[in-house]
Amino acid sequence: MAEIRVNGVSLHYEARGEGPGVVLVHGSWSDADSWARVLPGLAELTTVIAYDRRGHSRSEDLLTQGSVHEDAADLAGLIEGLGLAPAYVCGNSYGALITLRLASVRPDLLRGISVHEPPGTSLLLLDPELRPVGTALAGRLAAVRELLEKGESAAAAELFVETVAFGPGAWEQLPAPVRHTFIRNAPTYLDELRDPDALDLDLTALARFAEPALLTQSDDSPPMFGQVLDIIDLTLPKAERHVYQGAGHAPHLSQPEEWVRVVLPRALV
């Protein structure tokens, strides 16, 4: 366990292994511990870094409105500060959006990326056929936001898990430590909901990213994630798709051995 100071904030991180650098970017509500099941497999052949994003768990919280731009800058600072460039970066959910944003603004820091189910719902609103999907999701997120604004963190976390990310009944199936982490980090998700750029991407800039990009989804996740990936797939010059079977929104948690089998060979290229 260690800390690094980047962009005026101290970030908690864990480093394991030796070899080419791999950085893992967790999603909303979560923290670096969500990657615990895949760290051993990656560490056999790489230097793998898992970190808490600013405001999450053990990293510093500046108690100011956060933004996806800060998250991307923090990721860049982490890669540079630890001497990992060019790194292979893996992002899950909102961490996938941060990874894609870094690919847009600092492609020089990356040798490739792997992103699982980025919630880039603003992209859906640009397509008349997909706009109803984006609008419906916006309504579900508004309900989560209402609970967060009232300080009802536990209820908001459960509603998010069951209506946005995983599906009905999923909250009780999550391990107790994961539920606790979601509740503790709930204010960070309110920050994301208040950030107008949080769920958007600059597709023109992303199209200039010339390194390999693995885009993954699960066959039992909400269809909107695949629809977002379809748009990103058409944008990236070297995109590759993979579908996990029955792994849900967090395959690194539900199927860690399969996740390592899919990602590790690409991280070594």
Side-chain angles (χ1 to χ4, degrees):
M1 301 295 183
E3 288 189 354
I4 183 172
R5 191 159 189 85
V6 298
N7 302 317
V9 65
S10 292
L11 301 180
H12 163 92
Y13 72 94
E14 179 178 356
R16 292 196 193 181
E18 295 183 359
V22 175
V23 181
L24 309 177
V25 190
H26 67 80
S28 303
W29 309 83
S30 189
D31 62 21
D33 291 346
S34 64
W35 299 104
R37 295 181 180 181
V38 299
L39 287 179
L42 293 175
E44 291 181 4
L45 296 172
T46 72
T47 298
V48 57
I49 306 294
Y51 73 105
D52 294 347
R53 294 194 285 114
R54 66 165 61 204
H56 292 72
S57 298
R58 294 147 296 196
S59 286
E60 187 177 5
D61 187 351
L62 299 182
L63 301 178
T64 57
Q65 169 64 39
S67 75
V68 68
H69 303 286
E70 289 178 337
D71 278 312
D74 289 348
L75 177 55
L78 180 78
I79 292 171
E80 291 181 305
L82 296 178
L84 299 173
Y88 191 87
V89 176
C90 306
N92 188 78
S93 190
Y94 192 72
L97 281 180
I98 295 168
T99 301
L100 289 162
R101 189 169 288 274
L102 184 66
S104 300
V105 298
R106 290 297 307 274
D108 57 298
L109 296 179
L110 302 169
R111 67 174 187 275
I113 60 174
S114 173
V115 295
H116 184 76
E117 298 186 348
T121 52
S122 293
L123 302 179
L124 301 178
L125 299 176
L126 301 176
D127 187 327
E129 294 185 4
L130 297 177
R131 193 171 297 139
V133 178
T135 301
L137 177 64
R140 296 195 295 275
L141 291 178
V144 175
R145 178 171 180 170
E146 182 178 355
L147 291 173
L148 289 173
E149 297 278 11
K150 294 177 180 178
E152 299 179 18
S153 297
E158 181 174 355
L159 188 64
F160 173 83
V161 166
E162 303 212 346
T163 66
V164 178
F166 293 92
W171 178 250
E172 289 300 325
Q173 295 176 14
L174 292 176
V178 173
R179 296 198 302 270
H180 175 74
T181 298
F182 274 37
I183 295 169
R184 176 179 57 188
N185 288 330
T188 64
Y189 192 65
L190 184 56
D191 264 11
E192 292 173 17
L193 292 176
R194 290 171 172 170
D195 177 7
D197 296 331
L199 303 181
D200 199 6
L201 285 170
D202 183 343
L203 295 179
T204 300
L206 189 61
R208 294 193 287 268
F209 182 68
E211 303 302 326
L214 175 63
L215 313 179
T216 69
Q217 65 193 94
S218 295
D219 63 349
D220 57 343
S221 287
M224 66 162 186
F225 291 118
Q227 293 164 333
V228 170
L229 284 178
D230 289 342
I231 296 171
I232 295 170
D233 191 357
L234 292 172
T235 301
L236 288 165
K238 292 185 179 179
E240 175 188 6
R241 298 289 287 269
H242 178 81
V243 178
Y244 292 99
Q245 304 300 312
H249 193 50
H252 58 293
L253 284 172
S254 61
Q255 297 181 9
E257 293 182 359
E258 175 68 6
W259 188 93
V260 172
R261 186 192 68 79
V262 171
V263 173
L264 182 56
R266 294 163 174 86
L268 294 173
V269 174

